Amino acid sequence: MTTMIGKVTQERYEQLVADGLEQLAVQGRTQLQLGDHALEIEPMNPRGGSHAGPGEESFGVRQSLAQYAEDLDMPLTTLLDNRWVASRWPKERRQHGVSYVVHKALAGIAEEDVRFAKILDPPWHEKSKTHRWTQDAAKREVGQRINRPTTVQEKVNKVHDLLEDEKVAAQVATDLLRQPQVVSEVVEDQTAMHLVNRAQVDRSHRIAQQRMEAVPQPAKQAIQRAREQVRHNREYVDLVGACATFVAAAGRIVPTLRGHAFTEEERERVHANLARVRGATEWIGQAIDTGDLSLDEGLAALLRGE
């Protein structure tokens, strides 16, 4: 049975691919030739020890080449690209069968020796089972965004490119978070969860602030006093709870130490931490009795374990 691709046979399809590749090769050679013509009109001028790249040409250069581009009825930016690529690949270094796009991507390699050697060392192409350059392989070599991502990170980069609009990104993120498996992955990421929680807190603060703006001043003052009382109660409970937790932990651990023989180093470490505990309890007592929360240098150093 004859294999069909679309409306043509496999054999005819392969002929069309070969013809298409030849047409692209002709187009690529034309682009490099146009670059050579532009170089003849305006040779590359070294700037700071290297040739000016695209977008760095002087006004005079752009003016001359703008006239040439206009006479050819082509965009000046395209002509300037052709000129730069041609300058990076002398005629004897250009590789037959390697597309213009590959030459353009690899033109970004700064060192000539590395650039000229790289184009002669194409990577393995899985589909054709040969070593050959493709657009994506060349772009990957110089760290550019590729057209058909294969790795997870490349796909992530592609998605980021598509989601530059914050409103679009927010809608996509909302849709994805409706998928249980995606949510399961997100909650495993501590940074992501921290950002979500922070966003929730910020949103609550914004809503509370908006509501407060509509409340009369006397009511605002009453609400503020209530909040301060709630905060005071919460901090009081936290402080009592911290003390209770320490006492409970000590009551649980100390009885289990019967029969244990501690080394000198272990005893010194325990006593040092007990000194920190005593310092902390003295500081708490001072804060409760006087309202003075300051630390003298010695106590601060003790609490730091110095």
Side-chain angles (χ1 to χ4, degrees), residues 2-14 16:
T2 303
T3 301
M4 302 292 291
I5 299 179
K7 302 298 183 182
V8 300
T9 64
Q10 175 75 32
E11 181 180 3
R12 176 55 181 161
Y13 175 80
E14 291 175 355
L16 292 174

Side-chain angles (χ1 to χ4, degrees), residues 15-293:
Q15 292 173 350
L16 292 174
V17 170
D19 183 65
L21 289 173
E22 180 56 34
Q23 295 302 319
L24 289 173
V26 171
Q27 181 181 357
R29 289 195 293 271
T30 299
Q31 288 174 286
L32 286 169
Q33 287 171 356
L34 288 172
D36 290 334
H37 295 167
L39 280 172
E40 186 175 346
I41 296 171
E42 286 288 356
M44 301 297 287
N45 294 317
R47 179 177 298 182
S50 61
H51 293 306
E56 299 177 352
E57 300 85 1
S58 66
F59 175 76
V61 169
R62 295 180 70 87
Q63 192 174 33
S64 300
L65 294 179
Q67 179 179 338
Y68 184 53
E70 182 180 354
D71 289 339
L72 296 179
D73 194 22
M74 67 180 294
L76 173 60
T77 54
T78 301
L79 181 64
L80 292 173
D81 272 349
N82 295 160
R83 172 176 172 266
W84 180 72
V85 175
S87 75
R88 306 289 278 181
W89 297 103
K91 292 182 180 179
E92 66 275 11
R93 296 291 186 173
R94 300 170 190 174
Q95 297 303 305
H96 180 74
V98 177
S99 72
Y100 172 81
V101 177
V102 170
H103 279 88
K104 180 178 178 179
L106 296 182
I109 299 176
E111 296 183 18
E112 278 192 350
D113 292 344
V114 176
R115 187 190 324 139
F116 297 155
K118 179 58 66 176
I119 202 169
L120 298 175
D121 184 26
W124 177 256
H125 185 247
E126 186 61 32
K127 184 177 180 179
S128 65
K129 304 299 181 185
T130 60
H131 288 275
R132 55 170 287 200
W133 280 112
T134 63
Q135 293 185 34
D136 282 345
K139 290 179 178 180
R140 189 178 289 115
E141 186 69 35
V142 295
Q144 296 179 1
R145 290 283 194 263
I146 63 176
N147 300 321
R148 291 175 290 277
T150 55
T151 68
V152 172
Q153 187 58 53
E154 288 173 348
K155 292 177 181 178
V156 169
N157 292 341
K158 188 73 172 180
V159 170
H160 280 301
D161 289 343
L162 297 173
L163 298 181
E164 290 184 351
D165 187 306
E166 291 184 356
K167 291 184 178 179
V168 174
Q171 183 61 56
V172 171
T174 301
D175 293 342
L176 289 174
L177 288 174
R178 293 193 177 103
Q179 301 180 24
Q181 185 58 40
V182 174
V183 174
S184 177
E185 292 288 338
V186 170
V187 297
E188 293 295 329
D189 188 315
Q190 294 299 316
T191 300
M193 286 306 301
H194 171 73
L195 292 173
V196 170
N197 293 334
R198 180 177 176 181
Q200 290 176 326
V201 172
D202 290 344
R203 180 175 181 273
S204 297
H205 287 169
R206 286 197 305 273
I207 293 174
Q209 184 64 33
Q210 290 168 359
R211 290 175 177 173
M212 282 292 290
E213 290 174 357
V215 175
Q217 187 62 31
K220 286 182 181 179
Q221 294 173 350
I223 292 173
Q224 184 62 32
R225 287 195 297 271
R227 284 180 174 174
E228 291 175 355
Q229 183 61 44
V230 169
R231 184 169 64 250
H232 168 80
N233 292 342
R234 183 174 63 245
E235 292 166 351
Y236 166 74
V237 170
D238 286 344
L239 181 58
V240 172
C243 295
T245 299
F246 173 77
V247 172
R252 185 181 67 254
I253 297 170
V254 173
T256 67
L257 302 179
R258 182 178 291 112
H260 284 252
F262 292 94
T263 65
E264 185 66 27
E265 180 182 354
E266 289 171 336
R267 286 196 297 272
E268 289 179 0
R269 181 169 299 176
V270 171
H271 281 295
N273 279 281
L274 287 174
R276 295 177 67 192
V277 171
R278 283 192 293 271
T281 57
E282 290 174 2
W283 179 37
I284 293 172
Q286 170 186 293
I288 294 297
D289 294 339
T290 67
D292 182 8
L293 307 182

